[in-house]
Amino acid sequence: MRWDPTQYLRFADDRGRPFVDLVARVRGDAATVVDLGCGAGNLTSVLRGRWPDAQVLGVDASPEMIERAKAADDDPGARYELADVETWAPAEPVDVITSNAMFQWVPEQEAVLRRLADAVLPGGSIAVQVPNNADAPSHSLMREVADRPRYADHTRGVLGVRGTAPEVYLELFAGLGWDCDAWETTYLHVLPGEDPVFEWVKGTGARPVLAALPDGLREEFVEEYKAELRTAYPRRPFGTVLPFRRTFAVATRPLG
């Protein structure tokens, strides 16, 4: 499943706002900051704004995203690395690890976070944000259409139910003896244009099913899915409203 940076960045402001809200809750200074799942690097400026003197490392498993990030960012204080978070670890302990809308793609995310916690310096933090809207029409309708007879043989097993409640992160980090601020927020994104909810999920959650379908059948799926989305998310005079629930957690390692 290739990531398309251009498609993903169509809603860059809306996708980026949760990261701004997340980073604002991280306490303290930092000399080294890692952004896991950095994507196209468009949010590196948020980290620079929060810690202007820090060395920032962006890590992503998508060659297309890392290529885009490197091409768009010439700041010597930022580097980008192609790696899989499930096995990646920093060469040296760091002050802050952030992650925006990535850990929902990691099957064993709790085990990965426990491992990464060992790489955070005392007084440092891990800050995570993930979508928690698997029960929203955008996702339930995707699964429903994908399960229809002519698509099911191709799409079976490719659409997992992804999402993490804030209590999961609270229990995880509290169990490590860390302070944890965990919460949930629903954003009301007002999207412009035709079929904007489809265009939103096309760049993220719909990628697995679109990649699984062959040419011809993929186009049929898209038209059926779009029709369902238009009913679920009617266009208003000011745009199409997409409610989007997200989970946040900012955990800080004790100094002692």
Side-chain angles (χ1 to χ4, degrees):
M1 292 184 297
R2 294 168 60 90
W3 281 88
D4 182 345
T6 301
Q7 181 68 30
Y8 184 83
L9 292 173
R10 284 191 60 175
F11 302 100
D13 288 346
D14 290 281
R15 296 192 195 278
R17 180 184 166 189
F19 191 59
V20 175
D21 295 343
L22 176 72
V23 169
R25 295 292 296 170
V26 181
R27 302 192 301 267
D29 297 327
T32 49
V33 179
V34 176
D35 183 14
L36 296 178
C38 66
N42 53 299
L43 295 176
T44 304
S45 60
V46 176
L47 299 176
R48 289 199 195 97
R50 179 65 179 80
W51 298 286
D53 298 322
Q55 292 293 310
V56 177
L57 172 64
V59 178
D60 203 283
S62 165
E64 297 82 13
M65 289 293 195
I66 288 294
E67 181 181 349
R68 178 70 170 262
K70 288 180 176 179
D73 193 344
D74 58 1
D75 191 310
R79 296 184 299 111
Y80 297 95
E81 179 179 335
L82 179 66
D84 186 341
V85 69
E86 293 191 73
T87 56
W88 177 88
E92 301 289 341
V94 299
D95 292 305
V96 174
I97 293 176
T98 64
S99 181
N100 187 59
M102 182 210 68
F103 271 102
Q104 73 272 18
W105 299 103
V106 180
E108 302 296 331
Q109 64 162 315
E110 292 184 55
V112 172
L113 284 167
R114 287 191 188 94
R115 178 177 58 78
L116 290 173
D118 291 334
V120 175
L121 291 164
S125 298
I126 294 178
V128 176
Q129 181 274 125
V130 294
N132 192 27
N133 64 334
D135 58 349
S138 56
H139 289 61
S140 62
L141 290 171
M142 188 192 315
R143 294 191 294 269
E144 177 186 312
V145 177
D147 284 342
R148 292 174 182 172
R150 61 185 175 281
Y151 308 125
D153 286 345
H154 300 279
T155 61
R156 190 173 292 112
V158 304
L159 283 177
V161 177
R162 299 182 176 91
T164 307
E167 294 85 356
V168 172
Y169 293 120
L170 179 60
E171 293 284 345
L172 168 64
F173 288 110
L176 296 175
W178 290 34
D179 293 330
C180 184
D181 178 14
W183 71 99
E184 190 175 79
T185 295
T186 297
Y187 294 87
L188 298 181
H189 300 296
V190 180
L191 307 180
E194 296 291 330
D195 295 311
V197 178
F198 172 76
E199 294 298 327
W200 177 290
V201 298
K202 177 183 176 182
T204 52
R207 290 170 47 253
V209 69
L210 294 177
L213 290 167
D215 293 344
L217 207 57
R218 182 185 306 113
E219 287 72 20
E220 291 182 28
F221 169 86
V222 167
E223 290 309 311
E224 290 186 33
Y225 181 39
K226 281 182 177 180
E228 298 287 355
L229 290 175
R230 290 185 202 115
T231 300
Y233 300 95
R235 189 173 182 180
R236 310 282 291 280
F238 51 83
T240 300
V241 180
L242 172 64
F244 203 117
R245 189 170 72 248
R246 295 180 181 270
T247 289
F248 299 78
V250 176
T252 303
R253 184 172 187 171
L255 287 170

